[in-house]
Amino acid sequence: NAGVTQTPKFQVLKTGQSMTLQCAQDMNHEYMSWYRQDPGMGLRLIHYSVGAGITDQGEVPNGYNVSRSTTEDFPLRLLSAAPSQTSVYFCASSIQGGTYEQYFGPGTRLTVT
Amino acid sequence: AQSVTQLGSHVSVSEGALVLLRCNYSSSVPPYLFWYVQYPNQGLQLLLKYTSAATLVKGINGFEAEFKKSETSFHLTKPSAHMSDAAEYFCAVTGKGGGGNKLTFGTGTQLKVEL
């Protein structure tokens, strides 16, 4: 199993550009989520999904969109990039319920200039 | 509502010394608690978890943590630090029940191990 994969690993955007961060998992997990990691702030939840077709907002959703058309994929879209979105983004997945253990991808480092 | 406080953003220990990383939590429902480790330029790896079974939890790489409800704490310890333990450590909490998969993270503790 590849686990949770994320692409790209690095990305540089100009202010106002849009892009999609890809996340996929091959563990048949119902729950998937996106976090952003900023120095001194830990990880903060952006959006999450409890299954295909169902998404909801987390703690810091502004400027981001998500969709979940399949169990495997959960892309994160930046609509109009801003320097405040410079961060490291992590995707995670888990089974719904159980012990709530989440499996993390390797991250995408995004810089917005 | 739930929250996590990690005391000390940076901790430095000598190789072979005791490692103690502090975590206090707040949760309105019985908590599930986690410690994750992040090595430089990598994702997060689960060290150990508390899921309402034994209060002393053993994890990977010789780490363990004790759940103390009276102190709302879940401190991470390792008897003897190794150079390879240098990393950032995150404590996280979630609550059993609705939305239980939504982890709330602490701000992290950077562990430095010196010779």
Side-chain angles (χ1 to χ4, degrees):
Chain A
N1 284 355
V4 180
T5 58
Q6 292 183 237
T7 56
K9 290 189 176 181
F10 301 94
Q11 183 70 48
V12 179
L13 290 178
K14 294 187 186 307
T15 297
Q17 288 184 316
S18 63
M19 78 158 296
T20 299
L21 308 185
Q22 302 292 344
C23 174
Q25 52 91 10
D26 61 359
M27 298 173 282
N28 202 33
H29 286 167
E30 305 95 332
Y31 183 88
M32 295 185 73
S33 56
W34 277 101
Y35 293 87
R36 60 177 288 172
Q37 182 181 21
D38 302 292
M41 302 189 75
L43 281 78
R44 292 179 292 167
L45 182 64
I46 305 172
H47 285 285
Y48 65 97
S49 168
V50 298
I54 306 170
T55 64
D56 206 346
Q57 297 181 351
E59 181 185 354
V60 287
N62 292 342
Y64 307 95
N65 271 3
V66 292
S67 60
R68 183 100 178 265
S69 57
T70 67
T71 299
E72 295 78 18
D73 300 297
F74 190 45
L76 178 72
R77 298 181 187 86
L78 279 69
L79 309 174
S80 177
S84 61
Q85 294 178 303
T86 293
S87 187
V88 181
Y89 292 85
F90 288 100
C91 179
S93 74
S94 68
I95 62 171
Q96 183 71 347
T99 61
Y100 306 119
E101 176 181 344
Q102 297 201 25
Y103 296 82
F104 284 81
T108 294
R109 186 174 294 273
L110 175 69
T111 301
V112 182
T113 61
Chain B
Q2 53 204 30
S3 66
V4 170
T5 301
Q6 289 185 241
L7 292 175
S9 58
H10 292 81
V11 170
S12 183
V13 301
S14 300
E15 192 174 34
L18 171 71
V19 175
L20 171 60
L21 304 183
R22 299 179 186 274
C23 172
N24 288 89
Y25 72 91
S26 171
S27 177
S28 56
V29 297
Y32 283 11
L33 293 154
F34 305 83
W35 276 100
Y36 284 87
V37 60
Q38 185 181 33
Y39 298 103
N41 300 314
Q42 294 188 26
L44 275 72
Q45 179 183 3
L46 182 69
L47 269 180
L48 49 79
K49 60 187 177 187
Y50 167 76
T51 58
S52 74
T55 56
L56 182 62
V57 180
K58 294 187 185 299
I60 62 171
N61 301 337
F63 284 94
E64 62 181 38
E66 186 172 8
F67 172 72
K68 292 187 176 181
K69 184 178 179 180
S70 61
E71 298 177 8
T72 60
S73 68
F74 190 57
H75 301 331
L76 181 70
T77 61
K78 182 174 180 178
S80 177
H82 192 273
M83 296 296 288
S84 61
D85 295 326
E88 189 158 23
Y89 293 80
F90 293 94
C91 182
V93 65
T94 189
K96 189 176 181 181
N101 289 72
K102 292 165 60 179
L103 290 179
T104 298
F105 283 85
T107 52
T109 297
Q110 188 74 43
L111 176 66
K112 181 178 180 182
V113 182
E114 299 175 315
L115 286 171

